[in-house]
Amino acid sequence: MFLMKDITRDGNPVLRKRAAKVEFPLSAEDRELARQLMEYLEISQDEELCKKYGLRAGVGLAAPQVGVSKQMASVLVPAEEEGGKPVFKDVIINPVIVSESVQYGALTEGEGCLSVDEDVPGYVPRHDRITLKYTDVDGNDHTVRLKHYPAIVCQHEIDHLKGILFYDHINKDAPFEAPEGTVMFS
Ligand SMILES: O=CN(O)C[C@@H](CC1CCCC1)C(=O)N1NCCC[C@H]1C(=O)Nc1ccccn1
Ligand code: NI
């Protein structure tokens, strides 16, 4: 399983590369990578296990963050209510955003990243709604429409596959200004 020591930190060039497309059918190695990327999120979102392994809880983890420059990321957006079905859970492979709202969305508390140890304050404007196409580990194609938080999470992960980090989007001159009409939410 992945531990914090396995997570690449800002400054590692792998975080600034464009990741390579993943070939199907998945190699055993890529299947194991997908499993471990999701396993990290599941363990990190279990309070006891998170503490036991000294993890930072996460809702997404992209392959470049474990040093693998491949277009693969796990996303696990937990249910709003305890014990409910996750809002979105899958390993997205070769993801493409095929359409996006003109309207922006941003988290009121800004964003962080498991690969960025220091806080970087400021709004991270993203598209509030997206249509995402991706392939899952079994080779099935999916087209999903996401909005608000799950859309933010997937855009954060897809950025990692393009060598983009969240703070690249923060307005240096006015970090807490967001474009007109941005939907703010936490
Ligand atoms: O690329 C992927 N990453 O860098 C992990 C990031 C991804 C999210 C950041 C903003 C949108 C996607 C992540 O999850 N975090 N960022 C750093 C510390 C907090 C943590 C987080 O938001 N945790 C969380 C939230 C709700 C429920 C459970 N855990
Ligand atoms: Ni990140």
Side-chain angles (χ1 to χ4, degrees), residues 56-60 65 78 107 111-114 149 153 156-157 160:
R56 283 179 84 190
V59 290
Q65 294 183 278
L107 294 175
E111 292 188 12
C113 182
L114 297 179
Y149 189 55
V153 176
H156 178 110
E157 301 316 322
H160 275 303

Side-chain angles (χ1 to χ4, degrees), residues 48-61:
E48 233 172 274
L49 293 176
C50 185
K51 205 158 159 235
K52 177 177 174 187
Y53 293 108
L55 305 181
R56 283 179 84 190
V59 290
L61 188 63

Side-chain angles (χ1 to χ4, degrees), residues 15-18 62 64 97 111 124-126 152-169:
L15 289 171
R16 289 304 188 175
K17 287 171 68 180
R18 287 194 72 82
I97 293 174
E111 292 188 12
V124 180
R126 296 185 185 278
I152 297 280
V153 176
C154 286
Q155 290 174 82
H156 178 110
E157 301 316 322
I158 292 168
D159 268 358
H160 275 303
L161 309 182
K162 296 190 285 189
I164 298 169
L165 295 175
F166 74 93
Y167 58 74
D168 298 344
H169 298 286

Side-chain angles (χ1 to χ4, degrees), residues 46-111:
D46 176 300
E47 210 172 325
E48 233 172 274
L49 293 176
C50 185
K51 205 158 159 235
K52 177 177 174 187
Y53 293 108
L55 305 181
R56 283 179 84 190
V59 290
L61 188 63
Q65 294 183 278
V66 290
V68 179
S69 194
K70 289 186 176 182
Q71 293 184 29
M72 186 188 291
S74 56
V75 178
L76 177 50
V77 178
E80 276 103 22
E81 67 292 334
E82 268 303 297
K85 195 166 79 70
V87 169
F88 185 79
K89 176 176 184 177
D90 215 344
V91 178
I92 60 175
I93 301 172
N94 303 330
V96 177
I97 293 174
V98 292
S99 77
E100 55 202 17
S101 62
V102 171
Q103 188 167 34
Y104 290 97
L107 294 175
T108 38
E109 67 273 18
E111 292 188 12

Side-chain angles (χ1 to χ4, degrees), residues 11 17 36 39 42 54 59 94 105 140-141 146 155 166 180:
K17 287 171 68 180
Q36 288 192 299
E39 181 190 57
E42 290 167 330
V59 290
N94 303 330
N140 303 314
D141 291 335
L146 301 169
Q155 290 174 82
F166 74 93
E180 183 68 31

